Protein backbone atom coordinates (compact mmCIF):
# COMPACT_ATOMS: atom_id res chain seq x y z
CA UNK A 1 0.00 0.00 0.00
CA UNK A 2 1.43 3.42 -0.99
CA UNK A 3 1.86 5.94 1.85
CA UNK A 4 0.41 9.46 1.63
CA UNK A 5 3.83 11.18 1.14
CA UNK A 6 4.67 8.68 -1.57
CA UNK A 7 1.34 9.36 -3.29
CA UNK A 8 2.06 13.10 -3.13
CA UNK A 9 5.48 12.62 -4.64
CA UNK A 10 3.94 10.46 -7.37
CA UNK A 11 1.34 13.13 -8.19
CA UNK A 12 4.02 15.82 -8.32
CA UNK A 13 6.20 13.68 -10.56
CA UNK A 14 3.32 13.06 -12.95
CA UNK A 15 2.49 16.76 -12.96
CA UNK A 16 6.11 17.64 -13.83
CA UNK A 17 6.15 15.03 -16.57
CA UNK A 18 2.88 16.35 -17.97
CA UNK A 19 4.29 19.87 -17.93
CA UNK A 20 7.35 18.78 -19.83
CA UNK A 21 5.13 17.03 -22.37
CA UNK A 22 2.99 20.15 -22.77
CA UNK A 23 6.05 22.30 -23.31
CA UNK A 24 7.24 19.82 -25.93
CA UNK A 25 3.94 20.08 -27.80
CA UNK A 26 4.60 23.76 -28.41
CA UNK A 27 7.82 23.00 -30.32
CA UNK A 28 8.04 24.01 -33.99
CA UNK A 29 8.52 20.43 -35.27
CA UNK A 30 5.67 18.66 -33.52
CA UNK A 31 3.38 18.98 -36.55
CA UNK A 32 6.18 18.12 -38.94
CA UNK A 33 5.99 15.23 -41.35
CA UNK A 34 8.78 12.86 -40.37
CA UNK A 35 10.38 10.83 -43.14
CA UNK A 36 12.47 7.79 -42.32
CA UNK A 37 15.38 7.43 -44.75
CA UNK A 38 17.61 4.35 -44.73
CA UNK A 39 21.08 4.79 -46.23
CA UNK A 40 24.05 2.46 -46.31
CA UNK A 41 27.73 2.77 -45.50
CA UNK A 42 29.50 6.01 -46.32
CA UNK A 43 26.35 7.45 -47.90
CA UNK A 44 24.58 7.24 -44.55
CA UNK A 45 27.54 8.96 -42.89
CA UNK A 46 27.74 11.91 -45.28
CA UNK A 47 24.18 12.64 -46.44
CA UNK A 48 23.10 14.67 -43.40
CA UNK A 49 24.23 18.12 -44.70
CA UNK A 50 22.16 17.57 -47.83
CA UNK A 51 19.13 16.61 -45.78
CA UNK A 52 19.50 19.76 -43.68
CA UNK A 53 19.20 21.78 -46.90
CA UNK A 54 16.15 19.75 -47.90
CA UNK A 55 14.48 20.49 -44.57
CA UNK A 56 15.24 24.20 -45.00
CA UNK A 57 13.60 24.13 -48.44
CA UNK A 58 10.63 22.11 -47.15
CA UNK A 59 9.42 23.60 -43.86
CA UNK A 60 7.31 21.15 -41.96
CA UNK A 61 9.24 18.08 -43.18
CA UNK A 62 11.95 16.41 -41.11
CA UNK A 63 14.16 13.54 -42.28
CA UNK A 64 15.53 10.96 -39.88
CA UNK A 65 18.41 8.90 -41.24
CA UNK A 66 19.10 5.34 -40.22
CA UNK A 67 22.57 4.29 -41.31
CA UNK A 68 22.92 0.60 -42.16
CA UNK A 69 26.15 -1.30 -42.80
CA UNK A 70 26.17 -2.88 -46.23
CA UNK A 71 26.86 -6.29 -44.69
CA UNK A 72 23.50 -6.38 -42.91
CA UNK A 73 21.38 -3.99 -44.98
CA UNK A 74 19.81 -6.62 -47.23
CA UNK A 75 18.64 -8.75 -44.30
CA UNK A 76 17.42 -5.64 -42.46
CA UNK A 77 15.29 -4.59 -45.43
CA UNK A 78 13.70 -8.02 -45.79
CA UNK A 79 13.03 -8.18 -42.06
CA UNK A 80 11.44 -4.74 -42.17
CA UNK A 81 9.23 -5.80 -45.06
CA UNK A 82 8.11 -8.93 -43.24
CA UNK A 83 7.40 -6.86 -40.12
CA UNK A 84 5.57 -4.12 -42.06
CA UNK A 85 8.14 -1.64 -40.80
CA UNK A 86 9.81 -0.39 -43.97
CA UNK A 87 11.08 3.22 -44.18
CA UNK A 88 9.62 5.92 -46.39
CA UNK A 89 12.68 6.21 -48.63
CA UNK A 90 15.76 4.00 -48.93
CA UNK A 91 18.95 3.56 -50.83
CA UNK A 92 19.00 0.22 -52.65
CA UNK A 93 21.84 -1.48 -54.46
CA UNK A 94 20.79 -1.84 -58.07
CA UNK A 95 20.54 -5.64 -57.90
CA UNK A 96 18.16 -5.37 -54.93
CA UNK A 97 15.50 -3.40 -56.80
CA UNK A 98 14.04 -6.45 -58.64
CA UNK A 99 13.80 -8.42 -55.40
CA UNK A 100 11.95 -5.70 -53.45
CA UNK A 101 9.75 -4.97 -56.46
CA UNK A 102 8.81 -8.66 -56.75
CA UNK A 103 7.72 -8.59 -53.10
CA UNK A 104 5.39 -5.65 -53.80
CA UNK A 105 7.38 -3.45 -51.40
CA UNK A 106 8.01 -0.50 -53.73
CA UNK A 107 5.94 2.34 -55.14
CA UNK A 108 5.63 2.45 -58.93
CA UNK A 109 7.29 5.80 -59.68
CA UNK A 110 6.37 5.89 -63.37
CA UNK A 111 3.61 8.54 -63.13
CA UNK A 112 5.65 10.71 -60.79
CA UNK A 113 8.70 10.58 -63.07
CA UNK A 114 6.57 11.59 -66.06
CA UNK A 115 5.27 14.65 -64.23
CA UNK A 116 8.54 15.62 -62.55
CA UNK A 117 10.34 18.84 -63.37
CA UNK A 118 13.45 17.58 -61.53
CA UNK A 119 13.93 13.97 -62.68
CA UNK A 120 14.80 14.06 -66.38
CA UNK A 121 15.27 10.53 -67.70
CA UNK A 122 17.11 11.79 -70.80
CA UNK A 123 19.85 13.28 -68.59
CA UNK A 124 20.73 9.94 -66.97
CA UNK A 125 23.16 7.34 -68.24
CA UNK A 126 20.81 4.96 -70.03
CA UNK A 127 22.28 1.81 -68.53
CA UNK A 128 21.96 3.15 -65.00
CA UNK A 129 18.36 4.19 -65.55
CA UNK A 130 17.53 0.78 -67.02
CA UNK A 131 18.47 -1.02 -63.79
CA UNK A 132 15.31 0.47 -62.25
CA UNK A 133 12.92 -0.41 -65.09
CA UNK A 134 10.99 -3.66 -64.75
CA UNK A 135 8.06 -4.63 -66.96
CA UNK A 136 8.16 -1.16 -68.48
CA UNK A 137 7.65 0.57 -65.11
CA UNK A 138 10.08 2.72 -63.09
CA UNK A 139 10.71 1.54 -59.52
CA UNK A 140 13.71 3.63 -58.51
CA UNK A 141 15.82 6.63 -59.50
CA UNK A 142 19.62 6.32 -59.75
CA UNK A 143 21.36 8.11 -56.87
CA UNK A 144 24.94 7.40 -57.85
CA UNK A 145 26.55 5.12 -60.41
CA UNK A 146 29.40 2.69 -60.43
CA UNK A 147 31.17 0.67 -63.07
CA UNK A 148 34.52 -1.02 -63.53
CA UNK A 149 37.29 -0.34 -66.00
CA UNK A 150 41.07 -0.53 -66.31
CA UNK A 151 43.57 1.21 -64.06
CA UNK A 152 46.99 0.80 -65.62
CA UNK A 153 50.63 1.82 -65.48
CA UNK A 154 50.97 4.19 -68.41
CA UNK A 155 54.78 4.14 -68.24
CA UNK A 156 54.93 0.36 -68.61
CA UNK A 157 52.53 0.45 -71.55
CA UNK A 158 54.65 3.19 -73.18
CA UNK A 159 57.77 1.12 -72.61
CA UNK A 160 56.03 -1.68 -74.50
CA UNK A 161 55.33 0.71 -77.40
CA UNK A 162 51.70 1.40 -76.53
CA UNK A 163 50.45 4.98 -76.27
CA UNK A 164 46.88 3.96 -75.44
CA UNK A 165 44.85 0.98 -74.33
CA UNK A 166 43.85 -1.22 -77.30
CA UNK A 167 40.20 -1.31 -78.29
CA UNK A 168 39.74 -5.02 -79.05
CA UNK A 169 40.26 -8.19 -77.03
CA UNK A 170 42.86 -9.45 -79.48
CA UNK A 171 44.80 -6.19 -79.26
CA UNK A 172 44.43 -6.19 -75.48
CA UNK A 173 45.88 -9.69 -75.13
CA UNK A 174 48.77 -8.80 -77.44
CA UNK A 175 49.41 -5.64 -75.41
CA UNK A 176 49.54 -7.63 -72.19
CA UNK A 177 52.16 -9.95 -73.63
CA UNK A 178 54.26 -6.97 -74.72
CA UNK A 179 53.91 -5.29 -71.33
CA UNK A 180 54.98 -8.46 -69.53
CA UNK A 181 58.21 -8.39 -71.52
CA UNK A 182 59.17 -5.01 -69.97
CA UNK A 183 57.91 -5.69 -66.44
CA UNK A 184 60.15 -6.70 -63.55
CA UNK A 185 60.78 -10.43 -63.29
CA UNK A 186 57.66 -12.24 -62.08
CA UNK A 187 55.32 -9.43 -63.10
CA UNK A 188 51.80 -9.85 -64.41
CA UNK A 189 50.17 -7.52 -66.94
CA UNK A 190 46.82 -7.68 -65.16
CA UNK A 191 45.40 -8.55 -61.76
CA UNK A 192 41.95 -10.17 -61.81
CA UNK A 193 41.33 -11.66 -58.34
CA UNK A 194 39.70 -15.06 -58.75
CA UNK A 195 37.38 -14.49 -55.77
CA UNK A 196 35.55 -11.70 -57.64
CA UNK A 197 32.61 -12.50 -59.92
CA UNK A 198 32.74 -9.15 -61.71
CA UNK A 199 35.56 -9.84 -64.23
CA UNK A 200 33.99 -12.95 -65.82
CA UNK A 201 30.54 -11.35 -65.64
CA UNK A 202 31.73 -8.16 -67.35
CA UNK A 203 33.41 -10.07 -70.17
CA UNK A 204 30.31 -12.21 -70.63
CA UNK A 205 28.04 -9.17 -70.90
CA UNK A 206 30.01 -8.21 -74.02
CA UNK A 207 29.08 -11.34 -75.94
CA UNK A 208 26.09 -13.07 -74.38
CA UNK A 209 22.91 -13.02 -72.36
CA UNK A 210 23.51 -14.99 -69.18
CA UNK A 211 19.98 -16.42 -69.21
CA UNK A 212 17.55 -17.58 -71.89
CA UNK A 213 13.87 -18.31 -72.41
CA UNK A 214 12.57 -15.38 -70.43
CA UNK A 215 15.29 -15.74 -67.78
CA UNK A 216 14.13 -19.28 -67.02
CA UNK A 217 17.36 -21.14 -67.77
CA UNK A 218 21.11 -20.60 -67.83
CA UNK A 219 22.73 -19.70 -71.13
CA UNK A 220 26.29 -20.59 -70.21
CA UNK A 221 26.94 -23.22 -72.87
CA UNK A 222 26.08 -20.72 -75.60
CA UNK A 223 28.81 -19.74 -78.07
CA UNK A 224 28.80 -16.15 -76.85
CA UNK A 225 29.35 -17.00 -73.19
CA UNK A 226 31.94 -19.67 -73.99
CA UNK A 227 33.93 -17.13 -76.01
CA UNK A 228 34.09 -14.65 -73.14
CA UNK A 229 34.76 -17.32 -70.51
CA UNK A 230 37.53 -18.90 -72.56
CA UNK A 231 39.16 -15.48 -72.97
CA UNK A 232 38.97 -14.95 -69.20
CA UNK A 233 40.41 -18.35 -68.32
CA UNK A 234 43.05 -18.00 -71.03
CA UNK A 235 44.59 -15.02 -69.24
CA UNK A 236 45.47 -17.28 -66.30
CA UNK A 237 46.55 -20.22 -68.41
CA UNK A 238 48.91 -17.93 -70.37
CA UNK A 239 50.44 -16.52 -67.18
CA UNK A 240 49.15 -13.00 -67.90
CA UNK A 241 47.12 -12.91 -64.68
CA UNK A 242 47.90 -14.67 -61.38
CA UNK A 243 45.34 -17.22 -60.19
CA UNK A 244 45.10 -15.59 -56.80
CA UNK A 245 42.39 -14.05 -54.66
CA UNK A 246 42.31 -10.48 -53.47
CA UNK A 247 42.98 -11.63 -49.91
CA UNK A 248 46.28 -13.12 -51.04
CA UNK A 249 47.57 -9.71 -52.19
CA UNK A 250 49.21 -8.06 -49.19
CA UNK A 251 49.18 -4.53 -50.61
CA UNK A 252 47.71 -3.83 -54.04
CA UNK A 253 49.04 -0.27 -54.18
CA UNK A 254 52.56 -1.28 -53.26
CA UNK A 255 52.58 -4.09 -55.82
CA UNK A 256 51.12 -1.80 -58.48
CA UNK A 257 53.76 0.81 -57.66
CA UNK A 258 56.54 -1.80 -57.94
CA UNK A 259 55.25 -2.83 -61.36
CA UNK A 260 54.37 -6.38 -60.34
CA UNK A 261 50.88 -5.67 -61.69
CA UNK A 262 50.61 -3.39 -64.72
CA UNK A 263 46.82 -3.10 -64.67
CA UNK A 264 43.72 -4.13 -62.80
CA UNK A 265 39.96 -4.01 -63.26
CA UNK A 266 38.37 -1.89 -60.55
CA UNK A 267 35.98 0.93 -59.73
CA UNK A 268 35.90 4.71 -59.12
CA UNK A 269 36.64 4.46 -55.40
CA UNK A 270 40.22 3.58 -56.34
CA UNK A 271 40.88 6.97 -57.96
CA UNK A 272 41.24 8.49 -54.51
CA UNK A 273 43.03 5.43 -53.15
CA UNK A 274 45.61 5.44 -55.96
CA UNK A 275 46.25 9.15 -55.39
CA UNK A 276 46.76 8.59 -51.67
CA UNK A 277 48.51 5.26 -51.58
CA UNK A 278 50.69 4.84 -54.67
CA UNK A 279 54.36 5.70 -54.14
CA UNK A 280 55.19 9.33 -55.07
CA UNK A 281 57.57 8.24 -57.83
CA UNK A 282 54.74 6.68 -59.88
CA UNK A 283 52.00 9.22 -59.23
CA UNK A 284 52.36 10.53 -62.80
CA UNK A 285 52.59 7.06 -64.32
CA UNK A 286 49.06 5.67 -64.07
CA UNK A 287 45.78 6.23 -65.82
CA UNK A 288 42.31 4.85 -66.44
CA UNK A 289 40.80 3.49 -69.64
CA UNK A 290 37.48 2.01 -70.80
CA UNK A 291 37.45 -1.69 -71.49
CA UNK A 292 38.32 -3.03 -74.94
CA UNK A 293 35.50 -4.63 -76.91
CA UNK A 294 35.42 -8.16 -78.28
CA UNK A 295 35.69 -7.02 -81.91
CA UNK A 296 36.72 -3.99 -83.94
CA UNK A 297 34.06 -1.28 -83.91
CA UNK A 298 32.38 -2.73 -80.83
CA UNK A 299 32.88 -0.66 -77.66
CA UNK A 300 33.75 -2.64 -74.57
CA UNK A 301 30.82 -3.11 -72.21
CA UNK A 302 31.12 -3.09 -68.43
CA UNK A 303 28.71 -3.78 -65.61
CA UNK A 304 26.54 -1.02 -64.20
CA UNK A 305 26.21 -0.67 -60.47
CA UNK A 306 25.64 1.93 -57.80
CA UNK A 307 22.53 2.71 -55.80
CA UNK A 308 19.01 3.93 -56.42
CA UNK A 309 16.45 5.79 -54.34
CA UNK A 310 13.10 4.07 -53.84
CA UNK A 311 9.84 4.88 -52.06
CA UNK A 312 8.24 2.09 -50.08
CA UNK A 313 4.61 1.16 -50.58
CA UNK A 314 3.85 1.44 -46.88
CA UNK A 315 5.08 5.04 -46.62
CA UNK A 316 2.48 7.21 -44.87
CA UNK A 317 3.88 10.27 -46.68
CA UNK A 318 4.44 9.33 -50.32
CA UNK A 319 4.30 12.92 -51.61
CA UNK A 320 6.96 14.11 -49.20
CA UNK A 321 9.00 10.97 -49.84
CA UNK A 322 8.95 11.66 -53.56
CA UNK A 323 9.93 15.28 -52.90
CA UNK A 324 13.04 13.96 -51.11
CA UNK A 325 13.88 11.71 -54.06
CA UNK A 326 13.46 14.65 -56.45
CA UNK A 327 15.66 16.86 -54.29
CA UNK A 328 18.48 14.30 -54.08
CA UNK A 329 18.21 13.85 -57.85
CA UNK A 330 18.88 17.51 -58.68
CA UNK A 331 22.21 18.06 -60.50
CA UNK A 332 23.39 20.66 -57.96
CA UNK A 333 22.67 18.27 -55.09
CA UNK A 334 24.38 15.41 -56.93
CA UNK A 335 27.48 17.58 -57.33
CA UNK A 336 27.46 18.30 -53.59
CA UNK A 337 27.00 14.57 -52.92
CA UNK A 338 30.00 13.77 -55.12
CA UNK A 339 32.10 16.27 -53.17
CA UNK A 340 31.04 14.65 -49.89
CA UNK A 341 31.46 11.00 -50.90
CA UNK A 342 33.36 10.74 -54.19
CA UNK A 343 30.42 8.81 -55.67
CA UNK A 344 29.86 9.39 -59.38
CA UNK A 345 26.67 11.24 -60.40
CA UNK A 346 24.22 9.39 -62.68
CA UNK A 347 23.32 12.54 -64.65
CA UNK A 348 25.37 13.87 -67.56
CA UNK A 349 24.62 17.50 -66.65
CA UNK A 350 26.17 16.98 -63.20
CA UNK A 351 29.35 15.72 -64.86
CA UNK A 352 29.56 18.84 -67.02
CA UNK A 353 28.77 21.36 -64.28
CA UNK A 354 31.13 19.77 -61.75
CA UNK A 355 34.15 19.45 -64.03
CA UNK A 356 34.27 15.66 -63.62
CA UNK A 357 34.00 15.28 -67.39
CA UNK A 358 37.42 16.94 -67.74
CA UNK A 359 39.10 15.09 -64.89
CA UNK A 360 41.91 12.93 -66.36
CA UNK A 361 41.02 9.93 -64.20
CA UNK A 362 37.22 10.25 -63.99
CA UNK A 363 36.48 10.93 -67.67
CA UNK A 364 37.18 7.30 -68.62
CA UNK A 365 34.35 6.37 -66.27
CA UNK A 366 32.01 8.71 -68.11
CA UNK A 367 32.96 7.04 -71.39
CA UNK A 368 32.47 3.58 -69.86
CA UNK A 369 29.12 4.52 -68.30
CA UNK A 370 27.81 5.13 -71.79
CA UNK A 371 28.54 1.46 -72.54
CA UNK A 372 27.23 -0.62 -69.66
CA UNK A 373 24.78 -3.46 -69.18
CA UNK A 374 22.98 -4.64 -66.08
CA UNK A 375 23.10 -8.29 -65.06
CA UNK A 376 19.77 -10.15 -65.26
CA UNK A 377 17.13 -8.10 -63.42
CA UNK A 378 15.67 -10.89 -61.36
CA UNK A 379 15.67 -11.59 -57.60
CA UNK A 380 17.95 -14.61 -58.03
CA UNK A 381 20.81 -12.63 -59.58
CA UNK A 382 23.01 -12.50 -56.49
CA UNK A 383 22.91 -16.30 -56.20
CA UNK A 384 23.71 -16.60 -59.90
CA UNK A 385 26.69 -14.26 -59.45
CA UNK A 386 28.08 -16.47 -56.70
CA UNK A 387 27.66 -19.58 -58.84
CA UNK A 388 29.59 -17.80 -61.60
CA UNK A 389 32.32 -16.81 -59.16
CA UNK A 390 32.79 -20.37 -57.94
CA UNK A 391 32.93 -21.86 -61.45
CA UNK A 392 35.26 -19.14 -62.71
CA UNK A 393 37.65 -19.55 -59.80
CA UNK A 394 37.81 -23.32 -60.29
CA UNK A 395 38.51 -22.87 -64.00
CA UNK A 396 41.09 -20.11 -63.43
CA UNK A 397 42.95 -22.32 -60.95
CA UNK A 398 42.91 -25.23 -63.42
CA UNK A 399 40.68 -27.43 -61.28
CA UNK A 400 38.08 -27.80 -64.05
CA UNK A 401 38.04 -27.17 -67.80
CA UNK A 402 36.03 -24.51 -69.60
CA UNK A 403 33.65 -27.20 -70.84
CA UNK A 404 33.13 -28.51 -67.31
CA UNK A 405 32.66 -25.00 -65.95
CA UNK A 406 29.92 -23.96 -68.39
CA UNK A 407 28.10 -27.27 -67.92
CA UNK A 408 28.26 -26.85 -64.14
CA UNK A 409 27.00 -23.28 -64.43
CA UNK A 410 23.99 -24.28 -66.51
CA UNK A 411 23.11 -27.04 -64.05
CA UNK A 412 23.57 -24.84 -60.95
CA UNK A 413 21.69 -21.87 -62.37
CA UNK A 414 18.84 -24.03 -63.65
CA UNK A 415 18.39 -25.26 -60.08
CA UNK A 416 18.47 -21.68 -58.76
CA UNK A 417 15.75 -20.72 -61.26
CA UNK A 418 13.48 -23.71 -60.59
CA UNK A 419 11.02 -21.75 -58.46
CA UNK A 420 11.02 -18.89 -60.97
CA UNK A 421 10.05 -21.28 -63.76
CA UNK A 422 7.27 -22.74 -61.62
CA UNK A 423 5.81 -19.27 -60.90
CA UNK A 424 6.11 -18.03 -64.48
CA UNK A 425 4.64 -21.18 -66.01
CA UNK A 426 1.57 -20.96 -63.78
CA UNK A 427 1.15 -17.26 -64.34
CA UNK A 428 1.15 -17.80 -68.09
CA UNK A 429 -1.08 -20.88 -67.86
Amino acid sequence: MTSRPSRLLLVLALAVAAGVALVGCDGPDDDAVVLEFWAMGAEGEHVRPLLDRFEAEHPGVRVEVQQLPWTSAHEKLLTAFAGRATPDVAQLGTTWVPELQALGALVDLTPRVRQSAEVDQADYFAGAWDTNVLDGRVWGVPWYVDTRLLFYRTDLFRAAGLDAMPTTWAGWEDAMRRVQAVQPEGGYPILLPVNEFEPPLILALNTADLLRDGDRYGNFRSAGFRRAFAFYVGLYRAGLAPATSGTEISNLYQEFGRGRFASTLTGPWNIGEFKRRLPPEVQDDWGTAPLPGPDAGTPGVSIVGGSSLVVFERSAHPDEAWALVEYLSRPDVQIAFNELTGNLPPRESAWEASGLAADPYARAFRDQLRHVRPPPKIPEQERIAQALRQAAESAARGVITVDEAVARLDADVDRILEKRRWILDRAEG
Side-chain angles (χ1 to χ4, degrees), residues 252-266:
L252 166 64
Y253 310 99
Q254 184 179 72
E255 298 292 352
F256 195 87
R258 290 170 48 199
R260 183 186 176 209
F261 305 124
S263 65
T264 191
L265 184 61
T266 186

Side-chain angles (χ1 to χ4, degrees), residues 100-349:
L100 272 296
Q101 185 271 337
L103 291 172
L106 306 181
V107 170
D108 178 0
L109 299 178
T110 309
R112 292 186 181 271
V113 168
R114 287 174 179 164
Q115 298 169 12
S116 177
E118 300 289 356
V119 179
D120 179 9
Q121 178 182 344
D123 192 32
Y124 285 79
F125 292 108
W129 185 270
D130 184 56
T131 61
N132 297 280
V133 178
L134 299 160
D135 300 324
R137 313 297 291 178
V138 180
W139 302 93
V141 175
W143 192 19
Y144 66 87
V145 286
D146 181 18
T147 189
R148 297 201 178 196
L149 46 66
L150 291 167
F151 284 56
Y152 70 108
R153 283 283 299 271
T154 53
D155 58 333
L156 293 176
F157 273 69
R158 282 195 300 269
L162 300 157
D163 293 327
M165 187 64 63
T167 58
T168 66
W169 286 1
W172 186 20
E173 183 174 0
D174 178 67
M176 285 189 274
R177 295 181 185 279
R178 292 165 62 181
V179 167
Q180 192 170 44
V182 301
Q183 281 183 276
E185 185 71 24
Y188 294 94
I190 192 165
L191 172 66
L192 300 172
V194 294
N195 62 326
E196 296 181 357
F197 70 84
E198 288 88 354
L201 173 59
I202 288 168
L203 292 171
L205 291 175
N206 279 266
T207 57
D209 294 324
L210 267 63
L211 306 178
R212 61 181 176 84
D213 297 349
D215 295 338
R216 285 172 164 86
Y217 296 94
N219 193 40
F220 299 97
R221 281 177 286 191
S222 66
F225 182 84
R226 288 175 61 92
R227 179 188 176 190
F229 197 76
F231 178 81
Y232 169 79
V233 173
L235 298 178
Y236 302 95
R237 302 284 171 83
L240 300 176
T244 185
S245 70
T247 57
E248 296 174 81
I249 305 298
S250 59
N251 189 315
L252 166 64
Y253 310 99
Q254 184 179 72
E255 298 292 352
F256 195 87
R258 290 170 48 199
R260 183 186 176 209
F261 305 124
S263 65
T264 191
L265 184 61
T266 186
W269 63 88
N270 257 326
I271 293 177
E273 292 299 310
F274 272 48
K275 289 179 179 179
R276 284 189 294 270
R277 302 178 64 178
L278 283 183
E281 60 270 19
V282 298
Q283 276 295 336
D284 295 328
D285 294 327
W286 66 278
T288 56
L291 286 166
D295 301 299
T298 305
V301 168
S302 190
I303 193 172
V304 58
S307 286
S308 296
L309 297 169
V310 299
V311 177
F312 278 87
E313 186 66 42
R314 291 192 58 79
S315 172
H317 310 289
D319 292 337
E320 291 82 0
W322 173 245
L324 176 59
V325 173
E326 284 190 305
Y327 165 79
L328 292 172
S329 300
R330 285 177 5 199
D332 63 309
V333 178
Q334 290 191 354
I335 292 170
F337 189 52
N338 166 257
E339 292 170 351
L340 288 169
T341 65
N343 291 335
L344 299 180
R347 299 183 67 160
E348 294 260 17
S349 59

Side-chain angles (χ1 to χ4, degrees), residues 365-382:
F365 281 93
R366 187 190 195 190
D367 294 340
Q368 190 66 73
L369 284 163
R370 291 170 173 166
H371 303 287
V372 292
R373 283 186 68 188
K377 294 185 287 183
I378 58 174
E380 298 87 352
Q381 171 53 29
E382 292 201 3

